[in-house]
Amino acid sequence: MRQVIGGRDALIVVDVQNDFCPGGSLAVDDGDAVVPVVNALARRFAIVALTQDWHPAGHISFASTHDAEPFTTIDVAYGRQVLWPDHCVQGSEGAAFHPGLDVPHAQAILRKGHQPGIDSYSGFREADRATATGLGGYLRERGAERVFVCGLATDFCVAWTAFDAAEAGWPVFVVDDACRAIDLDGSLERTFAEFERRGIGRVAASELG
Ligand code: VGL
Ligand code: ZN
């Protein structure tokens, strides 16, 4: 459904980083295809925040930390944790934004997952579901009235960022063609069902005027 973008709409660009693009350690199929779509999309928004997955070496979400296989799960203090290949290590090339990402007017960069013992798919709240990152306060103080979300990956960091924006009370839209998914064991289908259940809209970039 067509949405007219105004000055109080915020765009969150989630984790468009080398490790989530082809050649990266946790490459999302076709992940780099979002780059031109995001670049064009972001130009329509006055309020733009980028998130950056930003883990210390030995992070709790790394399979290597537990001598386990990537893409298995373990139970940790805050619940079930998927174990990933080492990715987005603070300061590494893999953690850098994709070199084609061209959003110079973005005003905030929120780094998440920086605590050794807590993951954070969401840009708003860590995986303990208690520790706020500060992004919610930032967007509130900027006067954001609606939140649009795009980036990588649809079924993990985009999804949890959208869920938390909705829980915080914003109308939320995920820009479908500016996202790509990991799709682990049916996670994408479950994510779309959750968007529906939570009243999170899905729009195409071409529907935004
Ligand atoms: C992500 C898995 C682990 C994401 C981040 O950006 O979707 N996925 N860390
Ligand atoms: Zn991560």
Side-chain angles (χ1 to χ4, degrees), residues 20 53 55 61 84 87 119:
F20 298 123
D53 213 38
H55 304 309
S61 76
W84 304 104
H87 65 280
D119 203 3

Side-chain angles (χ1 to χ4, degrees), residues 29-114:
D29 278 349
D30 219 18
D32 56 345
V34 305
V35 170
V37 186
V38 169
N39 289 346
L41 178 67
R43 288 192 184 102
R44 297 154 175 243
F45 287 83
I47 306 174
V48 182
L50 312 178
T51 70
Q52 197 171 19
D53 213 38
W54 198 252
H55 304 309
H59 191 247
I60 193 168
S61 76
F62 294 172
S64 63
T65 301
H66 308 276
D67 273 320
E69 287 298 316
F71 308 107
T72 59
T73 60
I74 54 164
D75 289 314
V76 298
Y78 51 78
R80 185 142 302 177
Q81 173 71 53
V82 180
L83 297 178
W84 304 104
D86 290 20
H87 65 280
C88 297
V89 173
Q90 294 171 359
S92 68
E93 197 48 37
F97 291 117
H98 185 285
L101 187 69
D102 185 22
V103 190
H105 64 294
Q107 306 96 33
I109 298 176
L110 190 288
R111 289 171 165 172
K112 61 185 179 61
H114 57 87

Side-chain angles (χ1 to χ4, degrees), residues 140 144-147 162-172:
R140 250 189 317 275
E145 290 180 354
R146 298 192 299 178
V147 172
F163 297 162
D164 282 347
E167 271 188 37
W170 279 292
V172 179

